[in-house]
Amino acid sequence: MKITRLPLGALSTNCYIVSNGESVLVVDPSAEANVITGKLKDIGLPVDGILLTHTHYDHFGALDEVQEFTDAEVYMSDIETDWLTDTSKNGSIRFTEEITSSVSPNILKEGPAAVGAFKFDVIHTPGHSPGSLSYKFEDFVISGDVLFNKGVGRTDLYGGSTPELMHSIREKLYKLAPETTVYAGHNVPTTIGDEKENNPYVR
């Protein structure tokens, strides 16, 4: 598969476009909808779905515009569906202007999943937020704001928990094969093996 990483918005939040050569998934349409839709036009493939790792405002700021452009279904955890409209939970009222979404999402549960032509595993990885989901494809995982290149997600926002975050990383993400590429919500990609050896927060 081909992964396109688009760091967007004030926080350079990564939006990912995952392509199998015939169709694509959009993961976390973070901001700058015109950039995302422009890239989708360049790629020129149908969009099978839009996945959200979690619903902090910087991960879905462009959701409505991208959903309208693609007419694709949206998928996320049921734990955070109300965050799409609750600006105190999604953090936007604290850090920027109020950001909400009017989409009606489909629910993903932990375990095997299929969206269009894509098959992947849904891993519930709470800690940064209670409904955080990581998406494991064949040789890579999109981890949202759980595990970063030499970093981890913050836990001081609504619903955050440091013990849950550590458990999610140690008992779920670190159980993946060392060569698994990690595409996080911010910063550049890394691997599970590199983080197990060198991440200063979780050894």
Side-chain angles (χ1 to χ4, degrees):
M1 293 188 192
K2 181 178 180 181
I3 315 297
T4 300
R5 181 175 70 93
L6 302 173
L8 301 170
L11 300 180
S12 294
T13 305
N14 288 322
C15 169
Y16 293 104
I17 300 173
V18 182
S19 173
N20 62 11
E22 296 181 355
S23 57
V24 303
L25 292 176
V26 177
V27 184
D28 287 353
S30 53
E32 300 180 64
N34 60 315
V35 176
I36 300 171
T37 57
K39 180 59 68 172
L40 291 172
K41 289 177 184 177
D42 291 342
I43 294 172
L45 295 174
V47 178
D48 283 355
I50 301 170
L51 309 183
L52 299 181
T53 60
H54 64 294
T55 45
H56 283 142
Y57 73 93
D58 61 309
H59 287 257
F60 74 90
L63 176 59
D64 284 21
E65 292 168 276
V66 173
Q67 194 280 327
E68 182 178 2
F69 175 79
T70 62
D71 198 31
E73 295 289 318
V74 178
Y75 299 83
M76 62 175 293
S77 166
D78 61 342
I79 297 172
E80 295 180 9
T81 53
D82 63 319
W83 292 35
L84 292 171
T85 55
D86 190 327
T87 58
S88 61
K89 291 181 178 179
N90 70 42
S92 61
I93 197 171
R94 176 179 173 186
F95 296 106
T96 183
E97 74 274 7
E98 295 187 11
I99 294 175
T100 61
S101 171
S102 61
V103 304
S104 297
N106 297 279
I107 300 306
L108 290 174
K109 297 290 188 179
E110 187 166 53
V115 172
F118 293 86
K119 295 181 179 180
F120 52 93
D121 289 322
V122 178
I123 307 172
H124 182 213
T125 47
H128 175 65
S129 72
S132 287
L133 301 179
S134 296
Y135 301 113
K136 170 63 171 62
F137 294 81
E138 292 175 0
D139 59 354
F140 66 92
V141 61
I142 298 177
S143 65
D145 286 0
V146 177
L147 179 66
F148 299 122
N149 189 329
K150 311 303 178 294
V152 298
R154 60 190 294 180
T155 58
D156 61 334
L157 302 175
Y158 180 88
S161 167
T162 297
E164 285 191 338
L165 183 75
M166 295 298 108
H167 182 270
S168 293
I169 294 171
R170 289 194 179 105
E171 301 303 323
K172 294 189 175 184
L173 295 183
Y174 276 7
K175 300 295 186 182
L176 301 176
E179 63 271 18
T180 303
T181 302
V182 179
Y183 293 100
H186 304 270
N187 209 336
V188 296
T190 182
T191 66
I192 292 294
D194 193 13
E195 294 313 305
K196 289 176 74 172
E197 289 290 329
N198 300 305
N199 191 302
Y201 299 97
V202 193
R203 295 286 180 89

